[in-house]
Amino acid sequence: MTVEYISLQPSGDKMPLIGFGCWKIDPNDGAETIYNAIKVGYRLIDSASNYKNEKAIGRGINMAIDEGIVKREDLFVTTKLWSTYHKKEHVRPALEKQLEELGLDYVDMFLVHFPLPLKHVPIEERYPPGWYQNNDEPVITLDRAPMHECWGAMEKLVEAGLTRNIGVSNFNVQLLMDMLTYANIKPSLLQVELHPYLQQEHLVNWVQSQGIAVTAYSSFGPTSFVSTGSKRAKSVEPLFENPTVKDIAAKYNRAPSQVALRWSLERNVAVVPKSLNVDRMKMNLEALNWKMDEEDVQAINQLDMGLRFNDPMVNAQKLPLFY
Ligand SMILES: NC(=O)c1ccc[n+]([C@@H]2O[C@H](COP(=O)([O-])OP(=O)(O)OC[C@H]3O[C@@H](n4cnc5c(N)ncnc54)[C@H](OP(=O)(O)O)[C@@H]3O)[C@@H](O)[C@H]2O)c1
């Protein structure tokens, strides 16, 4: 039987296995996109301050609530702490600002977006501030903001009722092992780039063995990164053109995109595909409610290339975060 939710520790909250991703959604049509996503059945919205569209995302959520399509408690809203707010005194104001933009009283999941303490940029100076501290110069400046202090401030947000769960994104095993030595509330979730070309098997297995849920981002591999100008994404075979993926899709009379999502779900890894198109939104939701034979999971397991597309070293930032 297909599991449609993951039970999170320690809250016991049920997180939908499929959510809707909000990266690169234009603020001008963001509200309509999110409204449509909820209308076709998405119940998890994956947002972030750094996607620069949270006001629109919030309008879409509230339109759906106001029209009675869902109640707030039916939705699972995830958002992320941007890297310029890691100092303990900046964590709560950052989430309060995001809640104001989203038009919500609380979120269901608040993730530390990257293990990267960027120099603080005051909210009143520039919001959202992006990767660089100075608008004119693309230079990365770090802050003295240790993760154990940042995490302590994240835990206080749960106690204050501003988020129901806390977790991390783009963290590796070393960082998580360190966190588990001091966390009073251990991370409920790790969100990382995961797709057939970047499978991170040991990371996923170890994290799940700790009772920490895993969400895959960019499940379609290079697909999302062609539009960012990524040379890596343009030079590799598109995932949906891969013969193994296409053959498996044909076997089940499914689309290659559904095979990519189903492969994650078979590992009990949640997914958050993004689409601006209502038919593709629906198609992606239909990755639920079917099974892929073990031999097909194994065949996709052979496609791993360790190929990361969301890599700030090869992107403009030139930051070796994953090395
Ligand atoms: N934590 C992090 O650091 C991080 C980083 C990256 C992403 N994320 C999260 O993960 C979400 C998903 O990742 P993503 O946005 O990078 O990419 P994705 O969901 O893997 O792929 C999106 C791309 O695939 C296309 N697409 C969607 N459904 C399709 C289908 N059924 N058939 C063919 N093409 C399809 C979309 O185009 P159309 O819109 O035209 O359909 C878009 O170009 C993000 O939106 C964000 O919420 C998190």
Side-chain angles (χ1 to χ4, degrees), residues 20-24 46-47 51 80 113-114 169-170 191 216-221 223-225 240 257 272-277 280 283-284 310:
F20 188 77
C22 296
W23 183 36
K24 292 195 256 119
D46 186 72
S47 181
Y51 300 161
K80 311 184 188 86
H113 202 150
F114 282 96
S169 177
N170 297 300
Q191 182 179 109
Y217 74 69
S218 304
S219 295
F220 301 147
T223 315
S224 167
F225 295 89
F240 301 156
S257 51
V272 284
K274 165 261 172 191
S275 180
L276 297 177
N277 174 283
R280 288 194 288 276
M283 193 193 280
N284 294 342
N310 196 28

Coordinates of all heavy atoms in Angstrom, one line a residue, residues 20-24 46-47 51 80 113-114 169-170 191 216-221 223-225 240 257 272-277 280 283-284 310, ligand 1:
F20 N 4.4 20.9 -3.2 CA 4.6 21.8 -4.3 C 5.7 22.8 -4.1 O 5.7 23.5 -3.1 CB 3.3 22.5 -4.6 CG 3.3 23.3 -5.9 CD1 3.1 22.6 -7.1 CD2 3.5 24.6 -5.9 CE1 3.1 23.3 -8.3 CE2 3.5 25.3 -7.1 CZ 3.4 24.7 -8.3
G21 N 6.7 22.7 -5.0 CA 7.9 23.6 -4.9 C 7.7 25.0 -5.4 O 7.0 25.2 -6.4
C22 N 8.2 26.0 -4.7 CA 7.9 27.4 -5.1 C 9.1 28.2 -5.7 O 9.0 29.4 -5.9 CB 7.5 28.2 -3.9 SG 5.9 27.5 -3.2
W23 N 10.3 27.5 -5.9 CA 11.4 28.2 -6.4 C 11.2 28.6 -7.9 O 10.6 27.8 -8.7 CB 12.7 27.3 -6.4 CG 13.9 27.9 -6.8 CD1 14.3 29.2 -6.7 CD2 15.0 27.3 -7.5 NE1 15.6 29.4 -7.2 CE2 16.0 28.2 -7.8 CE3 15.2 26.0 -8.0 CZ2 17.2 28.0 -8.4 CZ3 16.4 25.7 -8.7 CH2 17.4 26.7 -8.9
K24 N 11.5 29.8 -8.3 CA 11.4 30.3 -9.6 C 10.0 30.5 -10.1 O 9.7 30.6 -11.2 CB 12.1 29.4 -10.6 CG 13.7 29.4 -10.5 CD 14.4 28.8 -11.7 CE 14.9 27.4 -11.4 NZ 14.3 26.4 -12.3
D46 N 6.2 24.3 -0.5 CA 7.6 24.4 -0.1 C 8.1 25.8 -0.5 O 8.4 26.0 -1.7 CB 8.4 23.3 -0.8 CG 9.9 23.3 -0.3 OD1 10.1 22.9 0.9 OD2 10.8 23.7 -1.0
S47 N 8.2 26.7 0.5 CA 8.5 28.0 0.2 C 9.9 28.4 0.8 O 10.6 27.6 1.4 CB 7.4 28.9 0.8 OG 7.7 30.3 0.6
Y51 N 13.3 32.7 -2.3 CA 12.7 32.5 -3.6 C 12.0 33.9 -4.0 O 11.5 34.0 -5.1 CB 11.6 31.4 -3.5 CG 12.2 30.1 -3.2 CD1 11.4 29.0 -2.8 CD2 13.6 29.8 -3.3 CE1 11.9 27.8 -2.5 CE2 14.1 28.5 -3.0 CZ 13.2 27.5 -2.6 OH 13.7 26.3 -2.2
K80 N 11.9 28.5 4.8 CA 13.3 28.3 5.2 C 14.0 29.6 5.7 O 13.7 30.7 5.1 CB 14.1 27.8 3.9 CG 13.4 26.6 3.3 CD 14.1 26.0 2.1 CE 13.3 25.0 1.4 NZ 12.4 25.5 0.4
H113 N 18.1 26.9 5.6 CA 18.2 26.7 4.2 C 19.6 26.1 3.8 O 19.6 25.2 3.0 CB 17.9 28.0 3.5 CG 17.5 27.9 2.1 ND1 16.6 28.8 1.4 CD2 17.7 26.9 1.1 CE1 16.4 28.4 0.2 NE2 17.1 27.3 0.0
F114 N 20.6 26.7 4.3 CA 22.0 26.2 4.0 C 22.8 26.3 5.3 O 22.6 27.2 6.1 CB 22.7 27.1 2.9 CG 22.2 26.9 1.5 CD1 21.3 27.7 1.0 CD2 22.8 25.9 0.7 CE1 20.8 27.5 -0.4 CE2 22.4 25.7 -0.6 CZ 21.4 26.5 -1.1
S169 N 18.4 21.9 5.6 CA 18.5 21.7 4.2 C 20.0 21.8 3.8 O 20.7 22.7 4.3 CB 17.6 22.7 3.5 OG 17.7 22.5 2.1
N170 N 20.4 21.0 2.8 CA 21.7 21.1 2.3 C 22.8 20.8 3.3 O 24.0 21.2 3.2 CB 22.0 22.4 1.6 CG 21.1 22.7 0.5 OD1 21.1 22.0 -0.5 ND2 20.3 23.7 0.6
Q191 N 16.2 18.4 3.9 CA 15.9 18.5 2.5 C 17.2 18.7 1.7 O 17.9 19.6 2.0 CB 15.0 19.7 2.3 CG 14.5 19.9 0.9 CD 13.6 21.1 0.6 OE1 14.0 22.1 0.0 NE2 12.4 21.0 1.1
A216 N 13.4 15.2 -1.1 CA 14.3 15.4 -2.3 C 13.9 16.7 -2.9 O 12.7 17.0 -3.0 CB 14.0 14.3 -3.3
Y217 N 14.8 17.6 -3.2 CA 14.5 18.7 -4.1 C 15.1 18.5 -5.5 O 16.1 17.7 -5.6 CB 14.9 20.0 -3.5 CG 16.3 20.5 -3.4 CD1 17.1 20.8 -4.5 CD2 16.9 20.7 -2.1 CE1 18.4 21.3 -4.4 CE2 18.2 21.1 -2.0 CZ 18.9 21.4 -3.1 OH 20.2 21.9 -3.0
S218 N 14.6 19.2 -6.5 CA 15.0 19.1 -7.9 C 15.0 17.6 -8.3 O 16.0 17.1 -8.9 CB 16.4 19.7 -8.1 OG 16.4 21.1 -7.6
S219 N 13.9 17.0 -8.1 CA 13.7 15.6 -8.4 C 13.9 15.3 -9.9 O 14.1 14.1 -10.3 CB 12.3 15.1 -8.0 OG 12.2 15.1 -6.7
F220 N 13.7 16.3 -10.7 CA 13.9 16.1 -12.2 C 15.3 16.4 -12.7 O 15.5 16.6 -13.9 CB 12.9 16.9 -13.0 CG 11.4 16.6 -12.6 CD1 10.4 17.6 -12.6 CD2 11.0 15.4 -12.2 CE1 9.1 17.4 -12.2 CE2 9.7 15.1 -11.8 CZ 8.8 16.1 -11.8
G221 N 16.2 16.4 -11.7 CA 17.7 16.6 -12.1 C 18.0 17.8 -12.9 O 17.6 18.9 -12.4
T223 N 16.6 19.2 -15.3 CA 15.4 19.9 -15.9 C 15.3 21.4 -15.4 O 15.1 22.3 -16.2 CB 14.1 19.2 -15.7 OG1 14.3 17.8 -15.9 CG2 13.0 19.7 -16.5
S224 N 15.4 21.5 -14.1 CA 15.1 22.8 -13.5 C 16.3 23.8 -13.7 O 16.1 25.0 -13.6 CB 14.9 22.6 -12.0 OG 15.0 23.8 -11.3
F225 N 17.5 23.3 -14.0 CA 18.7 24.1 -14.0 C 19.1 24.6 -15.4 O 19.9 25.4 -15.6 CB 19.8 23.4 -13.3 CG 19.5 23.1 -11.9 CD1 18.9 22.0 -11.5 CD2 19.8 24.1 -10.9 CE1 18.5 21.8 -10.1 CE2 19.5 23.9 -9.6 CZ 18.9 22.8 -9.2
F240 N 14.5 13.0 -18.6 CA 13.3 12.5 -19.2 C 13.6 11.8 -20.6 O 12.8 11.1 -21.2 CB 12.2 13.5 -19.4 CG 11.8 14.2 -18.2 CD1 11.3 15.5 -18.2 CD2 11.9 13.6 -16.9 CE1 10.9 16.1 -17.0 CE2 11.5 14.2 -15.8 CZ 11.0 15.5 -15.8
S257 N 8.6 11.8 -15.9 CA 8.6 12.6 -14.7 C 8.0 11.8 -13.5 O 8.4 11.9 -12.4 CB 7.8 13.9 -14.9 OG 6.5 13.5 -15.5
V272 N 9.0 17.5 -3.8 CA 8.3 18.8 -3.9 C 8.5 19.3 -5.3 O 9.0 20.4 -5.5 CB 8.9 19.8 -2.9 CG1 8.3 19.5 -1.5 CG2 10.4 19.9 -2.8
P273 N 7.9 18.6 -6.3 CA 8.0 19.1 -7.7 C 7.4 20.4 -7.9 O 6.3 20.7 -7.3 CB 7.3 18.0 -8.5 CG 6.4 17.4 -7.6 CD 7.1 17.4 -6.2
K274 N 7.9 21.2 -8.8 CA 7.4 22.5 -9.1 C 6.9 22.5 -10.6 O 7.6 22.0 -11.5 CB 8.4 23.6 -8.9 CG 8.1 25.0 -9.5 CD 8.8 25.2 -10.9 CE 8.4 26.4 -11.6 NZ 8.9 26.4 -13.0
S275 N 5.7 23.0 -10.8 CA 5.3 23.2 -12.2 C 4.3 24.4 -12.3 O 3.5 24.6 -11.4 CB 4.6 22.0 -12.8 OG 4.2 22.3 -14.1
L276 N 4.5 25.2 -13.4 CA 3.6 26.3 -13.6 C 2.3 25.9 -14.3 O 1.4 26.6 -14.4 CB 4.3 27.4 -14.4 CG 5.5 28.0 -13.7 CD1 6.1 29.0 -14.7 CD2 5.1 28.7 -12.4
N277 N 2.4 24.6 -14.8 CA 1.3 24.1 -15.7 C 0.4 23.2 -15.0 O 0.8 22.2 -14.3 CB 2.0 23.4 -16.9 CG 1.0 22.8 -17.8 OD1 0.5 21.7 -17.5 ND2 0.8 23.4 -18.9
R280 N 0.6 19.5 -15.7 CA 1.8 18.8 -15.2 C 1.8 18.8 -13.6 O 2.3 17.8 -13.0 CB 3.1 19.6 -15.7 CG 3.4 19.3 -17.1 CD 4.8 19.8 -17.6 NE 4.9 21.2 -17.6 CZ 4.6 22.0 -18.6 NH1 4.1 21.4 -19.7 NH2 4.8 23.3 -18.6
M283 N -0.2 15.7 -13.1 CA 0.6 14.5 -13.5 C 1.6 14.2 -12.4 O 1.8 13.0 -12.0 CB 1.4 14.9 -14.8 CG 2.0 13.8 -15.5 SD 3.2 14.4 -16.8 CE 2.1 14.8 -18.0
N284 N 2.2 15.2 -11.8 CA 3.2 15.0 -10.8 C 2.6 14.4 -9.5 O 3.1 13.5 -8.8 CB 4.0 16.3 -10.4 CG 4.8 16.7 -11.6 OD1 5.1 15.9 -12.5 ND2 5.2 18.0 -11.6
N310 N 22.6 22.1 -8.0 CA 22.5 23.2 -7.2 C 23.8 23.4 -6.4 O 23.8 23.2 -5.2 CB 21.3 23.1 -6.2 CG 20.9 24.4 -5.6 OD1 21.1 25.5 -6.2 ND2 20.4 24.4 -4.4
Ligands
LIG1 N1 16.4 23.6 -0.2 C1 17.0 24.0 -1.3 O1 18.1 24.5 -1.3 C2 16.3 23.9 -2.6 C3 16.9 24.1 -3.8 C4 16.2 23.9 -5.0 C5 14.9 23.6 -5.0 N2 14.2 23.4 -3.8 C6 12.8 23.1 -3.7 O2 12.5 22.0 -4.5 C7 11.5 22.4 -5.5 C8 11.6 21.6 -6.7 O3 12.8 21.7 -7.3 P1 13.1 22.6 -8.6 O4 12.1 23.7 -8.7 O5 14.5 22.9 -8.7 O6 12.8 21.6 -9.8 P2 11.9 20.3 -10.3 O7 10.6 20.3 -9.6 O8 12.8 19.1 -10.2 O9 11.7 20.7 -11.8 C9 11.0 21.8 -12.2 C10 11.1 21.9 -13.7 O10 10.5 20.7 -14.3 C11 9.4 21.1 -15.2 N3 8.4 20.1 -15.0 C12 7.6 20.0 -13.9 N4 6.8 19.0 -14.0 C13 7.0 18.4 -15.2 C14 6.5 17.3 -15.9 N5 5.5 16.5 -15.4 N6 7.0 17.0 -17.1 C15 7.9 17.8 -17.7 N7 8.5 18.8 -17.1 C16 8.0 19.2 -15.8 C17 9.1 22.5 -14.8 O11 8.6 23.3 -15.8 P3 7.0 23.9 -15.8 O12 7.0 24.8 -14.6 O13 6.9 24.6 -17.1 O14 6.1 22.7 -15.7 C18 10.4 23.1 -14.3 O15 11.2 23.5 -15.4 C19 11.7 23.9 -5.7 O16 10.7 24.5 -6.3 C20 11.9 24.3 -4.2 O17 10.7 24.4 -3.5 C21 14.9 23.6 -2.6

